[in-house]
Amino acid sequence: MKKDIRFLVVISFLLLSFSQFSVSAQVRKGDFLLSPNLGLGYYYAGSGLAVTLGVNGEYAFTDEISGGGYIAYTRWTTDYGYQGNNYDYSYNFIDFGARASYHFAKLLRVSNKKFDPYAGAFLGFVTSSYSHDGNGVVGYDDNYGSDLRPGIFAGARYFFQPNIGVFGEVSIGLTPISGGVTFKF
């Protein structure tokens, strides 16, 4: 966990170091941000491939604080071989909940009005399903079930048009790295 937090801090500082300093606000009070995204990896996933499709929606309560919700679908697949038996495991996770962000542009006096660095936290719920295929007997059940899911994230957006941009995030608690498009309304 300490390594994950240090990783988020380093990424946040790297994102901020690419900006120039002077006063501006990239997200304005009243903006609504809709961000479909693709993530790689997953909080619960061990080996194998985990791909997440999600969408975040946030309303800017002030120039610095936004909040809203998220929903994400993750499919994690892996194969396992043991004593001549091969198994393909598949997990499906659905995550949904609330998230809040603090936008650092004004605090850090970022002059590039297209650049929006932010960080925040989320609290949600996850549910999962499990299936397998193989040529042997599998005595394994879905041990993930359903649970509350807290987490933190850091990211940055770059608006190449006034209302359309791209973003990248790192997080602890959902998908370690994700990115996508942001639409500002």
Side-chain angles (χ1 to χ4, degrees), residues 112-130:
N112 185 345
K113 293 184 180 189
K114 296 179 178 185
F115 185 68
D116 174 32
Y118 60 92
F122 64 86
L123 179 62
F125 186 77
V126 60
T127 184
S128 68
S129 63
Y130 161 79

Side-chain angles (χ1 to χ4, degrees), residues 45-165:
S47 64
L49 175 65
V51 177
T52 300
L53 295 173
V55 65
N56 306 328
E58 294 187 50
Y59 177 80
F61 300 110
T62 70
D63 290 351
E64 294 88 23
I65 298 172
S66 64
Y70 71 93
I71 186 165
Y73 167 77
T74 302
R75 180 161 178 85
W76 168 36
T77 59
T78 188
D79 52 359
Y80 172 73
Y82 180 70
Q83 297 180 349
N85 295 316
N86 294 316
Y87 310 102
D88 293 321
Y89 296 95
S90 296
Y91 288 90
N92 296 298
F93 296 95
I94 297 176
D95 291 85
F96 58 93
R99 63 184 264 151
S101 301
Y102 183 83
H103 302 265
F104 292 100
K106 188 174 181 180
L107 176 71
L108 298 174
R109 298 180 180 180
V110 176
S111 65
N112 185 345
K113 293 184 180 189
K114 296 179 178 185
F115 185 68
D116 174 32
Y118 60 92
F122 64 86
L123 179 62
F125 186 77
V126 60
T127 184
S128 68
S129 63
Y130 161 79
S131 64
H132 70 276
D133 294 322
N135 63 0
V137 177
V138 176
Y140 185 76
D141 287 325
D142 177 10
N143 60 351
Y144 295 111
S146 301
D147 203 2
L148 284 178
R149 168 73 59 84
I152 57 175
F153 57 89
R157 290 184 181 89
Y158 183 82
F159 289 97
F160 53 88
Q161 294 290 323
N163 295 324
I164 302 173

